[in-house]
Amino acid sequence: MAFGALHFFWALGGEFGLDVSSGERLASERPAWFVAAGLWGVGFLCLIGALVALGLRKRGVRGRTWRALRLLGLAICLLLLVRGLLVEVLLIAGVPAVGGIRAAQRFWTLTVWNPWFVLGGVLFGLATRSFGKGMADQWRTGDPSAAPTTTPGSDSTEISSPSGRAVIASGHDHDQ
């Protein structure tokens, strides 16, 4: 949400930090394609990412919504990781295509912007993994409120439902 708000600030004419984020030329000229795609577009993508992040926190989601959230979470994870790591590697390696940026822009990109992309990618990956595991447990038992309990010294899990029925699952059943 913070990065989305920052892009909307820039799209509405704000200047603070834009030159070190996008470069002096784009910040001063503000071509229409840059404002539309690079500022408004990225701002809306950030808001969509925030909504997906909120969706990954929900429990009890099933069917198409579950698959869509899981797919979007994975896609955002990969996008952020690839973008963040690729730009870091290119800047550190001094690739000529990205080497023409100012020292201040390079510094801010390496130390401020890209670490957030990488951290965001890792967090989206963890959230997506947790979301997928939680839903798989609910689907296996057929009860979204079931809480698994393990008996000490046993490889089986008893899952109690509000109806009072218990389902016993062997630890070997989960390996399939």
Side-chain angles (χ1 to χ4, degrees), residues 13-34:
E15 295 180 10
F16 179 77
L18 182 59
D19 60 337
V20 294
S21 174
S22 64
E24 279 185 34
R25 186 183 64 79
L26 285 176
S28 64
E29 294 175 11
R30 291 184 185 249
W33 67 266
F34 173 67

Side-chain angles (χ1 to χ4, degrees), residues 122-144:
V122 168
L123 292 176
F124 260 100
L126 291 172
T128 302
R129 182 174 181 257
S130 174
F131 179 76
K133 286 179 75 171
M135 296 302 109
D137 290 343
Q138 290 176 13
W139 282 0
R140 186 178 63 249
T141 63
D143 184 3

Side-chain angles (χ1 to χ4, degrees), residues 7-143:
H7 279 82
F8 292 136
F9 167 75
W10 290 332
L12 292 169
E15 295 180 10
F16 179 77
L18 182 59
D19 60 337
V20 294
S21 174
S22 64
E24 279 185 34
R25 186 183 64 79
L26 285 176
S28 64
E29 294 175 11
R30 291 184 185 249
W33 67 266
F34 173 67
V35 173
L39 300 179
W40 286 108
V42 171
F44 282 114
L45 286 175
C46 289
L47 289 182
I48 291 168
L51 292 173
V52 171
L54 290 173
L56 290 172
R57 294 185 59 219
K58 290 185 178 181
R59 297 297 177 234
V61 179
R62 296 185 181 272
R64 288 184 181 149
T65 304
W66 181 83
R67 284 188 291 280
L69 281 171
R70 206 162 151 214
L71 181 64
L72 286 170
L74 181 61
I76 292 170
C77 164
L78 293 174
L79 175 73
L80 292 174
L81 284 175
V82 168
R83 191 268 182 215
L85 293 173
L86 182 64
V87 171
E88 286 285 305
V89 168
L90 292 174
L91 285 173
I92 290 170
V95 173
V98 293
I101 64 172
R102 292 186 0 233
Q105 184 182 2
R106 178 185 163 103
F107 170 79
W108 283 101
T109 300
L110 287 171
T111 60
V112 175
W113 304 121
N114 282 338
W116 283 108
F117 279 94
V118 174
L119 177 63
V122 168
L123 292 176
F124 260 100
L126 291 172
T128 302
R129 182 174 181 257
S130 174
F131 179 76
K133 286 179 75 171
M135 296 302 109
D137 290 343
Q138 290 176 13
W139 282 0
R140 186 178 63 249
T141 63
D143 184 3

